[in-house]
Amino acid sequence: MEVILIEVLLWAGLIFFFWALRDGLNRIESELEEQAAHGGTRNSDTAGAQFDRAENVSEPIGRYRDSLIYRFAVIEGKRYQFMHILPWGSSMLHHGERCLAPGLVYVRCDDGRMA
């Protein structure tokens, strides 16, 4: 009798596991569809911040969330230098700062040169 009870509990746990897995995958799928509908520019970690696109980048210095961090980036023809990572859940940028996905903040280079 104990063996049957253990087997029923194991089957119930397996069914619950698959239900939870399906629910999680459905949630991820709906988030991806929403992101595609917004042109892929929204990032849920940065409260809807709009990201700039770099025309040119140089000097990789690290990684953040599977993206390379470059020391320098050219955005709209102007040179910028990496400053910091945008805090999670924030979209607050200071004057003159530009943000590249997934939340890399760059500031304008004073000397205009790429080192």
Side-chain angles (χ1 to χ4, degrees), residues 1-10:
M1 191 57 143
E2 289 179 22
V3 173
I4 295 173
L5 182 60
I6 291 173
E7 188 173 346
V8 168
L9 286 174
L10 288 174

Side-chain angles (χ1 to χ4, degrees), residues 4 13 15-17 21 37 55 68 92:
I4 295 173
I15 290 170
F16 177 75
F17 171 75
L21 180 65
E55 300 158 13
L68 280 172
M92 178 81 99

Side-chain angles (χ1 to χ4, degrees), residues 21-102:
L21 180 65
R22 182 184 61 108
D23 186 51
L25 290 174
N26 285 339
R27 194 172 332 119
I28 290 171
E29 182 180 20
S30 66
E31 287 177 8
L32 289 174
E33 288 172 354
E34 180 184 338
Q35 200 173 41
H38 287 92
T41 58
R42 286 194 63 175
N43 184 332
S44 61
D45 289 346
T46 55
Q50 296 295 319
F51 297 122
D52 296 299
R53 293 198 183 272
E55 300 158 13
N56 189 14
V57 291
S58 65
E59 292 187 44
I61 58 174
R63 293 189 76 81
Y64 174 66
R65 304 191 92 199
D66 295 330
S67 294
L68 280 172
I69 300 173
Y70 293 94
R71 183 176 311 277
F72 297 102
V74 176
I75 304 169
E76 295 179 1
K78 298 175 181 143
R79 292 186 174 97
Y80 290 82
Q81 184 172 4
F82 175 74
M83 181 58 71
H84 61 88
I85 294 172
L86 191 64
W88 184 84
S90 172
S91 61
M92 178 81 99
L93 292 175
H94 294 98
H95 179 70
E97 291 183 336
R98 304 301 289 265
C99 186
L100 302 179

